[in-house]
Amino acid sequence: PSVARENVTEMMSSNLTLHRLNTGRECRVNTAVTMLAQYLFRYQGHISAALVVGGVDCTGPSLFTVYPHGSVDQLPYVTMGSGSLAAMAMYEAGYQDNMEKGAAVNLVRAAIQSGIDNDLGSGSNVDITVITMGAVERHRNLDKAQPKYKSKNPLSYAAGTTRFWNEAITKHQILITEGDTMDE
């Protein structure tokens, strides 16, 4: 899935660059989302790329989720992936309209951390990208998750610890003859 996601992202980046060069204008976020959704819809979910697309253009800030089958949601906050339920709980508890940048970054940080902590399949680093008109700030490895639970006293058993009462190995012979039916 990550290969599909990376390839689709690279292709969309190329297509948007070509679009920008062709029109002489910066692309709107909605243009990128539409191109991506149409591409994914064409393959009916067989390209396993689920993406969060965000940006700022002449219409203001936008945030979308694009699902592998091409459907799109536009909301003030979005989550995707295996830790998304825990992250969404954090957003629902802490989101307010017109948040200050610092408060918004802290909320996103807490949401990602919650997703990591409550899902064994999630990664371990908190990375945040802040997009404003004319600028992109990437914050890599803001937090490193605690290692997943590891017992201080791992179980170990000496050979022969588990007894069994008896062992029986039997041979079976299967005879197939013509004319036998399974209807009986």
Side-chain angles (χ1 to χ4, degrees), residues 20-99:
R20 181 178 48 82
L21 293 172
N22 231 0
T23 62
R25 294 182 288 169
E26 288 296 321
C27 296
R28 292 184 178 188
V29 178
N30 200 33
T31 302
V33 170
T34 301
M35 290 170 75
L36 179 60
Q38 287 175 346
Y39 177 77
L40 292 173
F41 179 77
R42 193 175 321 139
Y43 291 94
Q44 295 292 300
H46 293 288
I47 295 177
S48 184
L51 298 164
V52 172
V53 179
V56 179
D57 58 24
C58 61
T59 64
S62 303
L63 192 58
F64 298 87
T65 52
V66 183
Y67 295 89
H69 54 275
S71 68
V72 175
D73 288 331
Q74 182 180 16
L75 298 164
Y77 51 87
V78 297
T79 66
M80 291 194 98
S82 57
S84 66
L85 293 177
M88 184 57 78
M90 298 299 292
Y91 284 140
E92 288 173 348
Y95 176 81
Q96 300 169 4
D97 288 332
N98 301 316
M99 293 178 77

Side-chain angles (χ1 to χ4, degrees), residues 113-135:
Q113 190 64 51
S114 178
I116 291 169
D117 292 344
N118 291 290
D119 178 60
L120 293 175
S122 292
S124 60
N125 297 334
V126 176
D127 299 335
I128 296 175
T129 301
V130 179
I131 303 170
T132 56
M133 187 59 102

